[in-house]
Amino acid sequence: MKNKKLNFLVLFIMIILVLYFSLKDNFNGVINELSNVNLLIFALAIIMFLLSLFFKSISLFMFIREYNNKYSIIDAFSLTLISQFLNGITPFQSGGQPFEIYLLKKKKIRITDSTNALLKDFISFQVALILISLFSIFVNLKTKPIEMNNYLTWIILAGFIINFGVLLFLFIFANAKEAGKKILNKIIDFAFKFKIVNKLKITKEKAKESVSHFYETSETVKKSKSKILIGTLTNMMYLIILYIIPTLVFMSLGYNKITILNSIVVTSFVMLIGNFVPIPGATGGIEFGFVKLFEGFIKGPILSGAMLMWRTITYFLAMIIGAI
């Protein structure tokens, strides 16, 4: 409970700071831009965001369906929305997957099975993220829609390396069966020795049995190449649609010079920058990245207004729907 209160407090403080720095230089100008927004295009941006989450849920549905043939696409979409809220209030988006496992347990899906399903989904997502990041880096090197200064270049590059490293670790961990089992069993021994898991109704033997079952079922990762490919494609659709939303946001404010390609490239870099912010929702870093990278196209109240609208759709709206 203390951690939750601290997360909400940090999040609240960062939101206040973001609003302050966004509005302090030209409060009247930003408010004027927001008051003249084209509501039809803004509504289209919201629909596009929900569509992106639907594509994200297709991958989740496909992998969970392997373990429960009664699990529906509506269930997966609902789970995706809930995880948006939990990821949004926890550092490094760490709260979504544990709660997804808990909710899947209520659907009579074994923890080890749901963990494997989420592992496949996460691998698919990481591959999609890396492919689109590589595409964005290549496009920017060729066409240079945005001029990179030194510190932004290094932050984006480091964000890419971190995501690639996470994917590499997942592949090694899932395939190095004996080494992985030894590591997890030592963690279990440590947890029980120092009574870290006292509140969990589980024995040490049961925990180690679950580790063995996890690696038995994780063999399906190697056999699911075609499904992981489909999962990667649906996650790419999710990211592409998500990255197009800034174009619509700027259009709703009357600025039509941000092309779809530019929007994909810039937003891809913004998300890589967000990897470095340990605050819930990467608040502060995401907004900073958005303003710094898009100011190569436009500056002033339209840029500040666009950033606030974009975050409202992709963060605050997602959390509100997920919380409900």
Side-chain angles (χ1 to χ4, degrees), residues 3-4 6-8 10 86-96 274-275 277-282:
N3 286 339
K4 289 180 182 177
L6 179 62
N7 286 343
F8 277 114
V10 172
L86 292 159
N87 285 333
I89 62 170
T90 51
F92 295 114
Q93 300 186 29
S94 58
N275 284 308
V277 185
I279 294 167

Side-chain angles (χ1 to χ4, degrees), residues 117-234:
L118 294 177
L119 174 64
K120 294 174 193 175
D121 180 58
F122 189 65
I123 288 173
S124 299
F125 172 77
Q126 285 297 117
V127 172
L129 181 70
I130 288 166
L131 288 175
I132 292 178
S133 298
L134 278 173
F135 169 79
S136 298
I137 291 169
F138 176 77
V139 169
N140 199 60
L141 287 173
K142 288 291 183 182
T143 63
K144 294 188 177 179
I146 51 174
E147 290 294 332
M148 307 291 289
N149 56 42
N150 287 333
Y151 76 92
L152 279 178
T153 301
W154 283 112
I155 292 174
I156 291 167
L157 181 60
F160 175 81
I161 291 170
I162 287 172
N163 279 285
F164 184 78
V166 167
L167 179 63
L168 191 62
F169 172 79
L170 287 173
F171 272 116
I172 293 172
F173 192 76
N175 288 287
K177 183 176 179 180
E178 293 306 317
K181 283 175 71 173
K182 285 180 181 178
I183 292 169
L184 288 176
N185 284 329
K186 284 188 179 297
I187 292 171
I188 290 168
D189 288 334
F190 177 84
F192 276 92
K193 181 179 179 180
F194 292 95
K195 299 180 180 180
I196 296 172
V197 291
N198 275 356
K199 294 182 180 180
L200 296 177
K201 296 178 180 179
I202 186 172
T203 64
K204 185 192 289 190
E205 292 71 26
K206 187 69 176 177
K208 291 189 175 182
E209 182 188 326
S210 294
V211 169
S212 295
H213 181 72
F214 170 78
Y215 273 102
E216 286 168 14
T217 56
S218 70
E219 292 294 319
T220 60
V221 173
K222 301 173 187 176
K223 301 173 184 177
S224 302
K225 292 179 182 177
S226 59
K227 286 188 176 180
I228 288 176
L229 175 60
I230 295 169
T232 299
L233 292 174
T234 57

Side-chain angles (χ1 to χ4, degrees), residues 26 50 55 69 89 119 144 168 202 229 276 289 308 312:
N26 196 346
L50 294 174
F55 271 100
N69 57 17
I89 62 170
L119 174 64
K144 294 188 177 179
L168 191 62
I202 186 172
L229 175 60
F276 283 91
L308 291 172
T312 297

Side-chain angles (χ1 to χ4, degrees), residues 36-48:
N36 292 317
V37 66
N38 185 315
L39 294 178
L40 189 62
I41 299 177
F42 183 66
L44 178 60
I46 293 173
I47 292 169
M48 289 287 283

